């Protein structure tokens, strides 16, 4: 049985992946701080990472840890999109063949991006859990090396390097707002942040339409939830039927959970573009949306929210921007 990742593992990951990833900006948001009464708000701009999302970190850490024989067999993963892109990109840079298993719910633009990065795509089922079942079958048939989206110590440690970068630049941070789906990002960031500063307040942000981790925490075990369409489509999906790490780590290190509505997500996306000229996907805007709506009280706090990615369908994005602009002009 693998061991839970530690702060040391995250520092090892930082050293391992340094040449493969970008140290993303920690950008101040003074207008949002004034509007919400916070002492300061900073945006950790993982939307500027390779492949447009934080997932490059965990994928790089896992793939660079493989021995030659495992790499020769090729890697395989299941994904709602961003992890699949990261695996395809990192495997390609390392000269390793990759297969990505997706459900029918993954938007076509994400599927096309993964194909363009050189990976084989296998589409099966109507949920990430069903795509995972197909992925397991392909491993048995072809002997591929698995690179799971979140429930792996190397993936979690890779995502935890975000917290190392945040606290190196802003050690006085008091609140971290982190998007939550399968929990690799939240588990890694929370573990690192709490290991460095036990007093820091960690908030997990799930979408109302698919809060798989929140429901699993309530049940004390992984549960499957219905996947409904969401503008934050990369936060859809379950936590895996055989979850070993992220459920326990989220339970241990996270202080608070919030469910974010579609309207709040759209408002966050619009704010990031209108104020910071930043294109953020729905999942990346949950922190800003939560603060704008008052779902979380950040008065007199130093806050960091992770803007986790910028992969969004162009037509959908423009439609949301137009809707929000009309709402702003004609409330």
């Amino acid at each position: 049985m693998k061991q839970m990742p530690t702060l040391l593992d995250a520092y090892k990951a930082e050293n391992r992946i340094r040449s493969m990833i970008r140290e993303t900006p920690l950008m101040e948001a003074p207008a949002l701080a004034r509007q919400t009464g916070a002492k300061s708000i900073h945006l950790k701009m993982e939307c500027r990472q390779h492949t447009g999302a934080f997932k490059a970190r965990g994928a790089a850490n896992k793939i660079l840890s493989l021995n030659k024989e495992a790499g020769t067999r090729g890697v395989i993963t299941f994904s709602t999109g961003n992890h699949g892109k990261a695996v395809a990109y990192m495997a390609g840079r390392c000269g390793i063949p990759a297969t990505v298993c997706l459900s029918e719910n993954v938007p076509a633009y994400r599927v096309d991006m993964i194909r363009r990065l050189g990976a084989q795509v296998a589409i099966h089922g109507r949920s990430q859990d069903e795509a995972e079942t197909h992925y397991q079958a392909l491993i048995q048939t072809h002997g591929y090396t698995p690179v799971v989206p979140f429930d792996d110590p190397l993936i979690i440690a890779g995502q935890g390097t975000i917290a190392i970068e945040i606290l190196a630049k802003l050690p006085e941070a008091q609140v971290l707002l982190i998007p939550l789906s399968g929990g690799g990002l939240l588990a890694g960031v929370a573990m690192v942040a709490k290991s460095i500063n036990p007093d820091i307040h960690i908030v997990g942000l799930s979408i109302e339409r698919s809060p798989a981790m929140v429901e699993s925490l309530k049940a004390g075990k992984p549960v499957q939830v219905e996947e409904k369409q969401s503008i934050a489509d990369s936060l859809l999906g379950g936590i895996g039927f055989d979850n070993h790490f992220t459920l326990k780590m989220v339970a241990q290190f996270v202080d608070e959970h919030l469910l974010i509505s579609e309207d709040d997500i759209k408002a966050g996306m619009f704010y990031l573009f209108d104020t910071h000229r930043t294109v953020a996907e729905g999942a990346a805007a949950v922190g800003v949306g939560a603060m704008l709506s008052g779902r979380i009280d950040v008065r007199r706090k130093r806050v960091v929210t992770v803007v986790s990615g910028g992969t969004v369908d162009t037509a959908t994005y423009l439609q949301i921007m137009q809707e929000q602009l009309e709402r702003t002009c004609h409330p």
Side-chain angles (χ1 to χ4, degrees):
M1 177 67 180
K2 296 176 182 177
Q3 298 297 311
M4 292 283 185
T6 65
L7 179 61
L8 177 60
D9 293 319
Y11 275 107
K12 288 179 178 178
E14 183 194 36
N15 183 64
R16 183 180 292 121
I17 70 177
R18 187 175 296 136
S19 65
M20 298 283 278
I21 61 102
R22 293 173 177 150
E23 180 177 345
T24 55
L26 188 64
M27 187 169 70
E28 192 164 7
L32 186 57
R34 289 192 296 272
Q35 186 170 338
T36 58
K39 280 187 179 178
S40 69
I41 294 174
H42 286 77
L43 312 173
K44 181 57 172 167
M45 302 295 282
E46 284 297 294
C47 55
R48 298 186 185 175
Q49 189 54 262
H50 292 307
T51 74
F54 74 95
K55 291 284 192 175
R57 295 173 183 266
N61 195 39
K62 178 68 175 183
I63 290 171
L64 291 172
S65 300
L66 298 178
N67 60 36
K68 184 176 180 180
E69 189 271 334
T72 301
R73 293 200 308 268
V75 296
I76 187 171
T77 193
F78 60 99
S79 172
T80 54
N82 279 332
H83 177 69
K85 284 173 58 186
V87 170
Y89 174 78
M90 290 299 171
R93 286 187 64 177
C94 295
I96 295 172
T99 300
V100 180
C101 297
L102 303 170
S103 80
E104 296 167 6
N105 281 338
V106 174
Y109 73 93
R110 290 183 182 270
V111 178
D112 292 340
M113 287 178 179
I114 291 168
R115 285 198 174 109
R116 287 199 296 270
L117 288 168
Q120 296 293 316
V121 173
I123 299 175
H124 182 86
R126 298 188 58 80
S127 69
Q128 179 162 291
D129 289 328
E130 291 180 9
E132 180 184 359
T133 300
H134 186 55
Y135 143 95
Q136 295 286 359
L138 291 177
I139 291 172
Q140 294 299 316
T141 303
H142 299 285
Y144 297 137
T145 300
V147 181
V148 300
F150 48 83
D151 197 42
D152 180 294
L154 288 162
I155 297 290
I156 295 167
Q159 320 306 22
T161 61
I162 294 171
I164 293 175
E165 291 179 10
I166 290 172
L167 294 177
K169 294 285 181 65
L170 193 71
E172 63 271 28
Q174 296 171 289
V175 180
L176 298 186
L177 305 180
I178 313 296
L180 172 58
S181 178
L185 173 62
L186 180 57
V189 170
M191 178 273 291
V192 169
K194 286 286 192 180
S195 297
I196 295 172
N197 176 12
D199 293 329
I200 200 164
H201 188 77
I202 308 291
V203 184
L205 304 171
S206 302
I207 54 175
E208 288 182 346
R209 294 189 174 184
S210 185
M213 180 63 79
V214 172
E215 293 303 317
S216 297
L217 289 167
K218 291 177 183 177
K221 62 181 181 181
V223 298
Q224 186 173 10
V225 298
E226 180 185 357
E227 291 186 18
K228 301 175 182 178
Q229 292 299 313
S230 172
I231 187 56
D233 50 58
S234 60
L235 294 185
L236 294 171
I239 70 167
F241 297 121
D242 192 27
N243 188 292
H244 294 290
F245 302 103
T246 61
L247 179 59
K248 293 176 183 177
M249 293 180 71
V250 168
Q252 178 180 351
F253 293 112
V254 178
D255 300 296
E256 183 178 359
H257 288 275
L258 296 175
L259 302 184
I260 311 303
S261 72
E262 296 296 296
D263 285 344
D264 290 345
I265 294 167
K266 291 176 183 178
M269 293 172 72
F270 181 75
Y271 189 92
L272 284 165
F273 178 76
D274 189 48
T275 307
H276 297 283
R277 292 300 183 261
T278 293
V279 175
E281 63 187 81
V286 289
V288 173
M291 288 186 281
L292 288 172
S293 68
R295 293 281 291 116
I296 183 167
D297 184 358
V298 295
R299 288 175 295 176
R300 299 179 296 279
K301 301 292 185 182
R302 300 189 187 277
V303 183
V304 178
T305 186
V306 175
V307 182
S308 54
T311 305
V312 60
D313 176 66
T314 302
T316 302
Y317 185 80
L318 292 175
Q319 181 181 351
I320 291 169
M321 293 302 103
Q322 185 62 39
E323 290 173 355
Q324 294 297 310
L325 184 60
E326 291 174 359
R327 180 176 296 183
T328 302
C329 295
H330 307 286

